[in-house]
Amino acid sequence: MFRIMGVYRGAEKVGCEVFAGESARKFPSFKDVALFHLNLMRVKKTCRGLLLFLNLNVQTLVAEFQEIERILENEGREANVVLELDIESLLRYEIDIGRIREKIPRLSFDHVRFTQEHFELIKKVSPDYIKIPIKELEALSPKSIRVVGEMIQDFTGSTLVVTHVETPAEFSVVSDKFLWMGFYEQELKRDLFAKKGLSYRP
């Protein structure tokens, strides 16, 4: 079952991500590339003008690279597609990510943690976006999160996306300089509907 989640800067929606569940990580390449294509078609019109974060298994990228290129050329030409890859999977597989990077319009690394391996790969590849769970940042003081987040962006040249933002406290420490996503989106929608005198049903 897929779910479309918003990607935000403050309260402004700037993107969408299609979440197909953890089971999608185990799909064989032919099924995964078909899901990638289907997800692109699902959100291309409903999220027109927004960034479209589309997950792909690293094995699929290697096995079906020409097909991915064809899909992006034919279906993604007028869409702001961001190809999203799991950083741990990238580290496990021997691939020429530099050559692939040249062919991909926008790239995002998911599940980034504060490890030397992760940041060495980020510095080498320069993805457009890196996603770090809020739990990785919560060991810092709320004021430090903004400072460290800005340092990460300056060091990597990548835009930081803080994930799993779920509470008002977590939302309050995510600076407008970063993007964020998480279940706090439901609270934003409830507030928006309440201001319009409507009831919200997720």
Side-chain angles (χ1 to χ4, degrees), residues 16-27:
C16 295
E17 177 172 343
V18 184
F19 180 73
E22 289 300 317
S23 60
R25 293 185 184 279
K26 300 174 184 175
F27 283 169

Side-chain angles (χ1 to χ4, degrees), residues 168-184:
E170 289 172 344
F171 177 70
S172 70
V173 298
V174 178
S175 168
D176 286 350
K177 293 186 178 181
F178 317 137
L179 303 184
W180 69 272
M181 60 186 299
F183 285 113
Y184 192 74

Side-chain angles (χ1 to χ4, degrees), residues 51-157:
L51 296 167
L52 305 181
F53 288 82
L54 298 173
N55 290 278
L56 192 70
N57 293 330
V58 173
Q59 306 95 300
T60 304
L61 184 63
V62 174
E64 303 284 352
F65 187 61
Q66 287 186 326
E67 180 64 6
I68 293 297
E69 276 192 294
R70 188 192 67 77
I71 291 169
L72 290 174
E73 176 63 25
N74 293 342
E75 309 291 353
R77 189 180 306 158
E78 297 173 6
N80 298 318
V81 175
V82 181
L83 186 65
E84 187 163 309
L85 302 172
D86 177 73
I87 193 166
E88 279 295 329
S89 297
L90 271 174
L91 288 167
R92 280 197 301 271
Y93 289 90
E94 293 288 329
I95 65 171
D96 185 357
I97 190 65
R99 183 183 70 84
I100 289 171
R101 180 69 175 109
E102 292 172 5
K103 306 277 188 175
I104 300 300
R106 292 183 187 87
L107 184 64
S108 174
F109 285 174
D110 197 12
H111 301 112
V112 173
R113 291 179 291 109
F114 290 130
T115 69
Q116 183 176 346
E117 263 190 324
H118 283 197
F119 279 92
E120 282 178 356
L121 182 60
I122 290 165
K123 194 66 177 170
K124 176 182 176 184
V125 178
S126 298
D128 301 279
Y129 302 90
I130 56 172
K131 289 187 166 184
I132 298 181
I134 188 82
K135 300 298 181 198
E136 282 286 305
L137 300 169
E138 284 182 336
L140 306 168
S141 71
K143 288 181 182 177
S144 299
I145 289 175
R146 292 191 177 99
V147 173
V148 171
E150 289 172 20
M151 287 172 61
I152 290 169
Q153 290 188 147
D154 290 344
F155 173 73
T156 63

